[in-house]
Amino acid sequence: MVDPVIASRLQFALTTIVHIIFPVMSMGLAPFLVYFTWKEIRGGAPVYEQLRRFWTKIFAVSFVVGTVTGIVLEFEFGTNFAAFSTFAGELFGGPLATEGMMAFMLEATFLGVFVFGRERVSDRLYFVSSVAVAAGTWLSAVWILIANSWMQTPRGFELAQKSGQTIVHLTDPLAAYANPRFPYMFVHMQNAAVESVALFMAGVAAYHVFRHHVWGYPVDEISFWETTLKIALVALLVTAPLQVIHGDLYARHVYETQPQKFAAMEAVWETDSYVPEYLIAFPTSLADVTDPRAKELFGFGIPGGASWLASGGDAQATIRGLDTFETEAPPVAIVFWSFRAMVGMGFWFILLAFWGGYRWWRGQLLEDDLLHKALMASSLLGILAVELGWVVTEVGRQPWVVQGVLQTSEGVSPGLTGAEATATLVGFAVVYLGLLSLYTYVVARIIRSGPPGSDDLRSTPTPSDADRGKPASGVAGDD
């Protein structure tokens, strides 16, 4: 049987990797839905009603599956990481409870109005519901990231004894919850979610535009897909450069607060200066894949780039090597290659955004078949980049579960056996992969069905219009 520490870590990693897909979709779609709703209510083109109704379906499915998979994660703290829960529960439990009582309830309450209430409430209340749903979605991220960022840069606590056990005692809530890592994580995660959804929207739209304008096949509601592609490109033009610029600041903060993680990201084993930043790296042997070392890799990079990144402008800056830390190094291969892939995709997204923007400016956006293929191939890469980013964040922190305070091996449930942990790992793998397959099937069905047709966009009086005796300005209820 697998060691209970390893099995518990694998189980939590598996469930988190699957779960994060759904919050990314819902958080990324939220600002788009607010915009679509606002344009529809302000009397915009009928396509905005189509956009709102179509993407609301995918948002709702993502919310439901994300809720199911997310609740399980909180139970895993008790079943697999009971020692950690006992140790950090006083601080860690607060943000998780607040997320449920504040953010989830806000989102869940108004989601019913947003999905089913278009013809039953006034325009103003309906728009408020879209904003409330979006706010609830993003507030969930606030509290979850507060909890996780504290594990990266713990502040505002002291160690105390309770019933013979060492626990975290919260002494300064403001310092703990507004810890140095939180703003970096929040901006990076939320921007990544919007960027990932923009890539997904662009990829799906590019498929239909390609079939219609390049292959000449008839596509229903082609104006819907053309508008989707253009809106997605606008979002990409904003989020793709911002993600890379902010990533530079984030990496510098990691160097200052978690130097061991940064050394793993760059595969620096011996303290050195003028360390290159490999944009593309190739292993020269099998050992370089499983045990990468910056000095032994063949690649294309920026001389002194890693030192410049760490110091904020000094290419001669010294980076502390992994060999100098007292604790064992994190799994360097996982961290190093995940970071390379994530950064590489980040620059690819910038290229895609400006490529699409240039073609749009030249009036060739709808006919560029190579661009369409590139967007289709990249439609899920944003989500993959988010996954790799979390791999770097969590694996790079090892062997700590709370940086510098509690090691992961000390946080696992003391009574958990290898057989129990292995059994639940296998069970969760089957269930979660099944849920992911079902989600993929449902979203694919929604996409194949397409947006509501123009004939379905009937005018229906809303309560506010009827009270004022105005002409109908509402729209038909959702499918």
Side-chain angles (χ1 to χ4, degrees), residues 28-76:
L29 278 170
F32 288 102
L33 292 178
V34 172
Y35 174 71
F36 297 155
T37 304
W38 178 74
K39 290 290 289 183
E40 176 191 346
I41 288 175
R42 289 294 297 267
V47 70
Y48 290 105
E49 181 197 348
Q50 293 178 303
L51 287 163
R52 190 262 308 168
R53 291 172 62 177
F54 178 82
W55 291 107
T56 295
K57 294 177 184 178
I58 295 179
F59 177 92
V61 173
S62 302
F63 171 80
V64 170
V65 182
T67 300
V68 173
T69 56
I71 290 175
V72 174
L73 291 177
E74 298 193 9
F75 279 99
E76 285 184 278

Short mmCIF file of all heavy atoms in Angstrom, two decimals, residues 28-76:
data_model
loop_
_atom_site.label_atom_id
_atom_site.label_comp_id
_atom_site.label_asym_id
_atom_site.label_seq_id
_atom_site.Cartn_x
_atom_site.Cartn_y
_atom_site.Cartn_z
N GLY A 28 -14.04 33.19 -14.33
CA GLY A 28 -13.70 33.83 -15.59
C GLY A 28 -14.90 34.31 -16.37
O GLY A 28 -14.85 35.36 -17.03
N LEU A 29 -16.00 33.56 -16.31
CA LEU A 29 -17.22 33.96 -17.03
C LEU A 29 -17.95 35.11 -16.35
O LEU A 29 -18.70 35.84 -17.02
CB LEU A 29 -18.16 32.76 -17.15
CG LEU A 29 -17.88 31.77 -18.27
CD1 LEU A 29 -18.74 30.52 -18.12
CD2 LEU A 29 -18.12 32.41 -19.64
N ALA A 30 -17.78 35.27 -15.04
CA ALA A 30 -18.57 36.25 -14.29
C ALA A 30 -18.53 37.66 -14.88
O ALA A 30 -19.59 38.26 -15.12
CB ALA A 30 -18.13 36.25 -12.82
N PRO A 31 -17.36 38.25 -15.12
CA PRO A 31 -17.37 39.62 -15.68
C PRO A 31 -17.97 39.69 -17.08
O PRO A 31 -18.59 40.70 -17.44
CB PRO A 31 -15.89 40.02 -15.68
CG PRO A 31 -15.13 38.74 -15.57
CD PRO A 31 -15.99 37.80 -14.81
N PHE A 32 -17.80 38.64 -17.87
CA PHE A 32 -18.43 38.61 -19.20
C PHE A 32 -19.95 38.65 -19.08
O PHE A 32 -20.62 39.37 -19.82
CB PHE A 32 -18.00 37.36 -19.96
CG PHE A 32 -16.58 37.36 -20.44
CD1 PHE A 32 -15.61 36.64 -19.76
CD2 PHE A 32 -16.20 38.09 -21.56
CE1 PHE A 32 -14.30 36.63 -20.20
CE2 PHE A 32 -14.89 38.09 -22.01
CZ PHE A 32 -13.93 37.36 -21.32
N LEU A 33 -20.49 37.88 -18.15
CA LEU A 33 -21.95 37.83 -17.99
C LEU A 33 -22.50 39.16 -17.51
O LEU A 33 -23.59 39.58 -17.93
CB LEU A 33 -22.32 36.70 -17.02
CG LEU A 33 -22.05 35.29 -17.52
CD1 LEU A 33 -22.42 34.26 -16.45
CD2 LEU A 33 -22.81 35.00 -18.82
N VAL A 34 -21.79 39.83 -16.63
CA VAL A 34 -22.22 41.17 -16.20
C VAL A 34 -22.26 42.11 -17.40
O VAL A 34 -23.21 42.88 -17.59
CB VAL A 34 -21.28 41.72 -15.11
CG1 VAL A 34 -21.62 43.18 -14.80
CG2 VAL A 34 -21.41 40.89 -13.84
N TYR A 35 -21.23 42.05 -18.24
CA TYR A 35 -21.18 42.91 -19.43
C TYR A 35 -22.30 42.58 -20.41
O TYR A 35 -22.98 43.49 -20.93
CB TYR A 35 -19.81 42.77 -20.11
CG TYR A 35 -19.71 43.49 -21.42
CD1 TYR A 35 -19.66 44.89 -21.47
CD2 TYR A 35 -19.66 42.79 -22.63
CE1 TYR A 35 -19.57 45.56 -22.68
CE2 TYR A 35 -19.56 43.45 -23.84
CZ TYR A 35 -19.52 44.83 -23.86
OH TYR A 35 -19.44 45.49 -25.07
N PHE A 36 -22.51 41.29 -20.67
CA PHE A 36 -23.58 40.90 -21.59
C PHE A 36 -24.94 41.37 -21.08
O PHE A 36 -25.77 41.86 -21.85
CB PHE A 36 -23.59 39.39 -21.77
CG PHE A 36 -22.35 38.80 -22.37
CD1 PHE A 36 -21.99 37.48 -22.13
CD2 PHE A 36 -21.53 39.57 -23.20
CE1 PHE A 36 -20.84 36.94 -22.68
CE2 PHE A 36 -20.38 39.04 -23.76
CZ PHE A 36 -20.04 37.72 -23.50
N THR A 37 -25.17 41.21 -19.78
CA THR A 37 -26.45 41.62 -19.20
C THR A 37 -26.65 43.12 -19.30
O THR A 37 -27.75 43.60 -19.65
CB THR A 37 -26.53 41.18 -17.73
OG1 THR A 37 -26.31 39.77 -17.63
CG2 THR A 37 -27.89 41.51 -17.13
N TRP A 38 -25.61 43.86 -19.01
CA TRP A 38 -25.69 45.32 -19.08
C TRP A 38 -25.99 45.78 -20.51
O TRP A 38 -26.85 46.64 -20.73
CB TRP A 38 -24.38 45.92 -18.58
CG TRP A 38 -24.33 47.42 -18.67
CD1 TRP A 38 -24.97 48.32 -17.87
CD2 TRP A 38 -23.59 48.19 -19.62
NE1 TRP A 38 -24.68 49.60 -18.26
CE2 TRP A 38 -23.85 49.56 -19.33
CE3 TRP A 38 -22.75 47.86 -20.68
CZ2 TRP A 38 -23.27 50.59 -20.08
CZ3 TRP A 38 -22.18 48.90 -21.43
CH2 TRP A 38 -22.44 50.24 -21.12
N LYS A 39 -25.30 45.20 -21.49
CA LYS A 39 -25.54 45.58 -22.86
C LYS A 39 -26.94 45.20 -23.32
O LYS A 39 -27.60 45.96 -24.05
CB LYS A 39 -24.50 44.89 -23.77
CG LYS A 39 -23.10 45.43 -23.61
CD LYS A 39 -22.95 46.83 -24.17
CE LYS A 39 -23.02 46.84 -25.69
NZ LYS A 39 -22.79 48.21 -26.26
N GLU A 40 -27.42 44.05 -22.88
CA GLU A 40 -28.77 43.62 -23.25
C GLU A 40 -29.81 44.56 -22.68
O GLU A 40 -30.74 44.99 -23.39
CB GLU A 40 -29.01 42.20 -22.73
CG GLU A 40 -30.42 41.69 -22.96
CD GLU A 40 -30.70 40.40 -22.20
OE1 GLU A 40 -29.74 39.77 -21.72
OE2 GLU A 40 -31.90 40.05 -22.09
N ILE A 41 -29.68 44.90 -21.41
CA ILE A 41 -30.67 45.76 -20.75
C ILE A 41 -30.64 47.18 -21.31
O ILE A 41 -31.67 47.85 -21.41
CB ILE A 41 -30.43 45.75 -19.23
CG1 ILE A 41 -30.84 44.39 -18.66
CG2 ILE A 41 -31.19 46.87 -18.54
CD1 ILE A 41 -30.54 44.22 -17.20
N ARG A 42 -29.44 47.63 -21.69
CA ARG A 42 -29.33 48.98 -22.24
C ARG A 42 -29.82 49.07 -23.68
O ARG A 42 -29.69 50.11 -24.33
CB ARG A 42 -27.87 49.44 -22.17
CG ARG A 42 -27.36 49.74 -20.77
CD ARG A 42 -28.08 50.94 -20.17
NE ARG A 42 -27.81 52.14 -20.95
CZ ARG A 42 -26.82 53.00 -20.69
NH1 ARG A 42 -26.01 52.77 -19.66
NH2 ARG A 42 -26.65 54.07 -21.43
N GLY A 43 -30.37 47.97 -24.20
CA GLY A 43 -30.93 48.00 -25.54
C GLY A 43 -29.93 47.72 -26.63
O GLY A 43 -30.08 48.19 -27.76
N GLY A 44 -28.89 46.95 -26.29
CA GLY A 44 -27.89 46.59 -27.29
C GLY A 44 -28.45 45.63 -28.32
O GLY A 44 -29.63 45.26 -28.31
N ALA A 45 -27.60 45.22 -29.22
CA ALA A 45 -28.01 44.30 -30.28
C ALA A 45 -28.51 42.99 -29.68
O ALA A 45 -28.09 42.59 -28.58
CB ALA A 45 -26.82 44.04 -31.21
N PRO A 46 -29.43 42.31 -30.37
CA PRO A 46 -29.96 41.04 -29.86
C PRO A 46 -28.89 40.00 -29.54
O PRO A 46 -29.13 39.09 -28.75
CB PRO A 46 -30.88 40.57 -30.99
CG PRO A 46 -31.27 41.82 -31.72
CD PRO A 46 -30.08 42.71 -31.64
N VAL A 47 -27.72 40.13 -30.15
CA VAL A 47 -26.68 39.14 -29.91
C VAL A 47 -26.26 39.10 -28.44
O VAL A 47 -25.81 38.06 -27.94
CB VAL A 47 -25.45 39.43 -30.81
CG1 VAL A 47 -24.72 40.69 -30.36
CG2 VAL A 47 -24.50 38.24 -30.81
N TYR A 48 -26.45 40.21 -27.71
CA TYR A 48 -26.05 40.21 -26.30
C TYR A 48 -26.98 39.35 -25.45
O TYR A 48 -26.56 38.80 -24.44
CB TYR A 48 -25.97 41.65 -25.77
CG TYR A 48 -24.81 42.39 -26.37
CD1 TYR A 48 -25.00 43.35 -27.36
CD2 TYR A 48 -23.51 42.12 -25.95
CE1 TYR A 48 -23.93 44.01 -27.93
CE2 TYR A 48 -22.42 42.79 -26.50
CZ TYR A 48 -22.64 43.73 -27.50
OH TYR A 48 -21.58 44.38 -28.06
N GLU A 49 -28.25 39.28 -25.85
CA GLU A 49 -29.13 38.34 -25.16
C GLU A 49 -28.68 36.91 -25.44
O GLU A 49 -28.65 36.06 -24.55
CB GLU A 49 -30.58 38.50 -25.59
CG GLU A 49 -31.50 37.54 -24.85
CD GLU A 49 -32.86 37.37 -25.51
OE1 GLU A 49 -33.17 38.17 -26.42
OE2 GLU A 49 -33.58 36.44 -25.13
N GLN A 50 -28.31 36.64 -26.69
CA GLN A 50 -27.82 35.31 -27.03
C GLN A 50 -26.56 34.97 -26.23
O GLN A 50 -26.41 33.86 -25.71
CB GLN A 50 -27.51 35.23 -28.53
CG GLN A 50 -28.72 35.32 -29.44
CD GLN A 50 -28.33 35.30 -30.90
OE1 GLN A 50 -27.54 36.14 -31.36
NE2 GLN A 50 -28.85 34.34 -31.64
N LEU A 51 -25.66 35.92 -26.13
CA LEU A 51 -24.42 35.71 -25.37
C LEU A 51 -24.72 35.44 -23.91
O LEU A 51 -24.16 34.51 -23.30
CB LEU A 51 -23.51 36.93 -25.51
CG LEU A 51 -22.82 37.12 -26.87
CD1 LEU A 51 -22.30 38.55 -27.01
CD2 LEU A 51 -21.69 36.13 -27.03
N ARG A 52 -25.60 36.24 -23.35
CA ARG A 52 -25.94 36.06 -21.93
C ARG A 52 -26.58 34.70 -21.69
O ARG A 52 -26.20 33.98 -20.76
CB ARG A 52 -26.86 37.20 -21.49
CG ARG A 52 -27.10 37.29 -20.00
CD ARG A 52 -28.42 36.65 -19.58
NE ARG A 52 -29.55 37.14 -20.35
CZ ARG A 52 -30.74 36.58 -20.33
NH1 ARG A 52 -30.95 35.47 -19.61
NH2 ARG A 52 -31.75 37.05 -21.05
N ARG A 53 -27.53 34.31 -22.52
CA ARG A 53 -28.23 33.04 -22.30
C ARG A 53 -27.33 31.84 -22.54
O ARG A 53 -27.37 30.85 -21.80
CB ARG A 53 -29.47 32.99 -23.21
CG ARG A 53 -30.55 33.98 -22.81
CD ARG A 53 -31.68 34.04 -23.83
NE ARG A 53 -32.38 32.77 -23.98
CZ ARG A 53 -33.43 32.60 -24.76
NH1 ARG A 53 -33.90 33.63 -25.47
NH2 ARG A 53 -34.03 31.43 -24.84
N PHE A 54 -26.50 31.90 -23.57
CA PHE A 54 -25.64 30.77 -23.90
C PHE A 54 -24.59 30.53 -22.82
O PHE A 54 -24.44 29.42 -22.31
CB PHE A 54 -24.96 31.01 -25.25
CG PHE A 54 -24.00 29.92 -25.66
CD1 PHE A 54 -24.47 28.77 -26.26
CD2 PHE A 54 -22.64 30.05 -25.44
CE1 PHE A 54 -23.59 27.76 -26.64
CE2 PHE A 54 -21.76 29.06 -25.81
CZ PHE A 54 -22.23 27.90 -26.40
N TRP A 55 -23.86 31.58 -22.46
CA TRP A 55 -22.76 31.40 -21.51
C TRP A 55 -23.25 31.24 -20.08
O TRP A 55 -22.53 30.71 -19.24
CB TRP A 55 -21.78 32.56 -21.64
CG TRP A 55 -21.04 32.50 -22.95
CD1 TRP A 55 -21.22 33.31 -24.04
CD2 TRP A 55 -20.04 31.55 -23.34
NE1 TRP A 55 -20.41 32.94 -25.08
CE2 TRP A 55 -19.66 31.87 -24.68
CE3 TRP A 55 -19.43 30.48 -22.70
CZ2 TRP A 55 -18.69 31.13 -25.36
CZ3 TRP A 55 -18.46 29.76 -23.39
CH2 TRP A 55 -18.10 30.08 -24.69
N THR A 56 -24.47 31.68 -19.79
CA THR A 56 -25.04 31.43 -18.46
C THR A 56 -25.22 29.94 -18.22
O THR A 56 -25.06 29.45 -17.10
CB THR A 56 -26.38 32.17 -18.30
OG1 THR A 56 -26.16 33.58 -18.34
CG2 THR A 56 -27.05 31.82 -16.97
N LYS A 57 -25.57 29.20 -19.26
CA LYS A 57 -25.74 27.75 -19.11
C LYS A 57 -24.42 27.10 -18.67
O LYS A 57 -24.39 26.27 -17.75
CB LYS A 57 -26.20 27.13 -20.43
CG LYS A 57 -27.59 27.54 -20.87
CD LYS A 57 -27.92 26.92 -22.22
CE LYS A 57 -29.27 27.38 -22.75
NZ LYS A 57 -29.57 26.81 -24.08
N ILE A 58 -23.33 27.48 -19.31
CA ILE A 58 -22.03 26.90 -18.95
C ILE A 58 -21.61 27.37 -17.56
O ILE A 58 -21.04 26.60 -16.78
CB ILE A 58 -20.98 27.26 -20.01
CG1 ILE A 58 -21.36 26.60 -21.34
CG2 ILE A 58 -19.58 26.86 -19.58
CD1 ILE A 58 -20.42 26.90 -22.49
N PHE A 59 -21.91 28.63 -17.23
CA PHE A 59 -21.62 29.13 -15.89
C PHE A 59 -22.36 28.32 -14.83
O PHE A 59 -21.79 27.93 -13.81
CB PHE A 59 -22.01 30.60 -15.78
CG PHE A 59 -21.81 31.20 -14.42
CD1 PHE A 59 -20.61 31.83 -14.09
CD2 PHE A 59 -22.81 31.12 -13.45
CE1 PHE A 59 -20.42 32.37 -12.83
CE2 PHE A 59 -22.62 31.65 -12.18
CZ PHE A 59 -21.44 32.28 -11.87
N ALA A 60 -23.65 28.08 -15.06
CA ALA A 60 -24.47 27.36 -14.09
C ALA A 60 -23.97 25.94 -13.88
O ALA A 60 -23.89 25.44 -12.75
CB ALA A 60 -25.93 27.37 -14.52
N VAL A 61 -23.64 25.26 -14.97
CA VAL A 61 -23.12 23.90 -14.86
C VAL A 61 -21.79 23.90 -14.09
O VAL A 61 -21.56 23.04 -13.23
CB VAL A 61 -22.93 23.28 -16.26
CG1 VAL A 61 -22.23 21.93 -16.17
CG2 VAL A 61 -24.28 23.12 -16.96
N SER A 62 -20.94 24.86 -14.37
CA SER A 62 -19.65 24.96 -13.68
C SER A 62 -19.85 25.22 -12.19
O SER A 62 -19.14 24.65 -11.35
CB SER A 62 -18.80 26.07 -14.30
OG SER A 62 -18.58 25.84 -15.68
N PHE A 63 -20.82 26.07 -11.86
CA PHE A 63 -21.10 26.38 -10.45
C PHE A 63 -21.56 25.13 -9.70
O PHE A 63 -21.10 24.84 -8.59
CB PHE A 63 -22.17 27.47 -10.36
CG PHE A 63 -22.67 27.70 -8.97
CD1 PHE A 63 -21.95 28.47 -8.08
CD2 PHE A 63 -23.89 27.16 -8.55
CE1 PHE A 63 -22.41 28.69 -6.79
CE2 PHE A 63 -24.36 27.36 -7.27
CZ PHE A 63 -23.62 28.14 -6.38
N VAL A 64 -22.47 24.38 -10.31
CA VAL A 64 -23.01 23.19 -9.64
C VAL A 64 -21.92 22.15 -9.41
O VAL A 64 -21.75 21.64 -8.29
CB VAL A 64 -24.17 22.59 -10.48
CG1 VAL A 64 -24.56 21.23 -9.93
CG2 VAL A 64 -25.36 23.53 -10.50
N VAL A 65 -21.15 21.82 -10.45
CA VAL A 65 -20.12 20.81 -10.30
C VAL A 65 -19.01 21.31 -9.38
O VAL A 65 -18.45 20.55 -8.59
CB VAL A 65 -19.55 20.40 -11.67
CG1 VAL A 65 -18.52 19.30 -11.52
CG2 VAL A 65 -20.68 19.93 -12.59
N GLY A 66 -18.70 22.59 -9.46
CA GLY A 66 -17.68 23.16 -8.58
C GLY A 66 -18.08 23.10 -7.12
O GLY A 66 -17.25 22.87 -6.24
N THR A 67 -19.37 23.29 -6.85
CA THR A 67 -19.86 23.19 -5.47
C THR A 67 -19.70 21.77 -4.94
O THR A 67 -19.21 21.55 -3.82
CB THR A 67 -21.33 23.62 -5.40
OG1 THR A 67 -21.46 24.97 -5.85
CG2 THR A 67 -21.86 23.50 -3.98
N VAL A 68 -20.09 20.81 -5.73
CA VAL A 68 -19.99 19.40 -5.32
C VAL A 68 -18.55 19.00 -5.04
O VAL A 68 -18.23 18.41 -4.01
CB VAL A 68 -20.62 18.48 -6.39
CG1 VAL A 68 -20.38 17.02 -6.05
CG2 VAL A 68 -22.11 18.76 -6.53
N THR A 69 -17.67 19.32 -5.97
CA THR A 69 -16.27 18.92 -5.82
C THR A 69 -15.55 19.74 -4.75
O THR A 69 -14.61 19.25 -4.12
CB THR A 69 -15.52 19.05 -7.15
OG1 THR A 69 -15.65 20.41 -7.64
CG2 THR A 69 -16.08 18.10 -8.19
N GLY A 70 -15.98 20.97 -4.52
CA GLY A 70 -15.32 21.82 -3.53
C GLY A 70 -15.65 21.44 -2.10
O GLY A 70 -14.78 21.54 -1.21
N ILE A 71 -16.88 21.02 -1.85
CA ILE A 71 -17.26 20.62 -0.49
C ILE A 71 -16.40 19.46 -0.01
O ILE A 71 -15.98 19.39 1.15
CB ILE A 71 -18.76 20.27 -0.45
CG1 ILE A 71 -19.61 21.53 -0.61
CG2 ILE A 71 -19.11 19.56 0.86
CD1 ILE A 71 -21.09 21.27 -0.70
N VAL A 72 -16.11 18.54 -0.91
CA VAL A 72 -15.31 17.37 -0.56
C VAL A 72 -13.92 17.79 -0.09
O VAL A 72 -13.35 17.20 0.84
CB VAL A 72 -15.20 16.42 -1.76
CG1 VAL A 72 -14.25 15.27 -1.46
CG2 VAL A 72 -16.59 15.88 -2.12
N LEU A 73 -13.36 18.82 -0.71
CA LEU A 73 -12.02 19.28 -0.33
C LEU A 73 -11.97 19.68 1.15
O LEU A 73 -10.99 19.40 1.85
CB LEU A 73 -11.60 20.46 -1.20
CG LEU A 73 -11.31 20.17 -2.67
CD1 LEU A 73 -10.98 21.46 -3.41
CD2 LEU A 73 -10.16 19.19 -2.81
N GLU A 74 -13.01 20.35 1.62
CA GLU A 74 -13.02 20.78 3.01
C GLU A 74 -13.09 19.58 3.95
O GLU A 74 -12.50 19.58 5.03
CB GLU A 74 -14.17 21.74 3.25
CG GLU A 74 -14.06 23.03 2.43
CD GLU A 74 -15.02 24.09 2.88
OE1 GLU A 74 -15.67 23.91 3.93
OE2 GLU A 74 -15.14 25.12 2.19
N PHE A 75 -13.82 18.54 3.55
CA PHE A 75 -13.87 17.34 4.40
C PHE A 75 -12.53 16.62 4.44
O PHE A 75 -12.19 15.98 5.44
CB PHE A 75 -14.96 16.39 3.89
CG PHE A 75 -16.35 16.77 4.33
CD1 PHE A 75 -17.20 17.46 3.48
CD2 PHE A 75 -16.79 16.45 5.61
CE1 PHE A 75 -18.48 17.81 3.90
CE2 PHE A 75 -18.07 16.80 6.03
CZ PHE A 75 -18.91 17.49 5.18
N GLU A 76 -11.76 16.75 3.37
CA GLU A 76 -10.45 16.09 3.34
C GLU A 76 -9.50 16.65 4.39
O GLU A 76 -8.58 15.95 4.83
CB GLU A 76 -9.83 16.21 1.95
CG GLU A 76 -10.47 15.29 0.92
CD GLU A 76 -9.77 15.37 -0.42
OE1 GLU A 76 -10.07 16.31 -1.18
OE2 GLU A 76 -8.92 14.51 -0.70
#
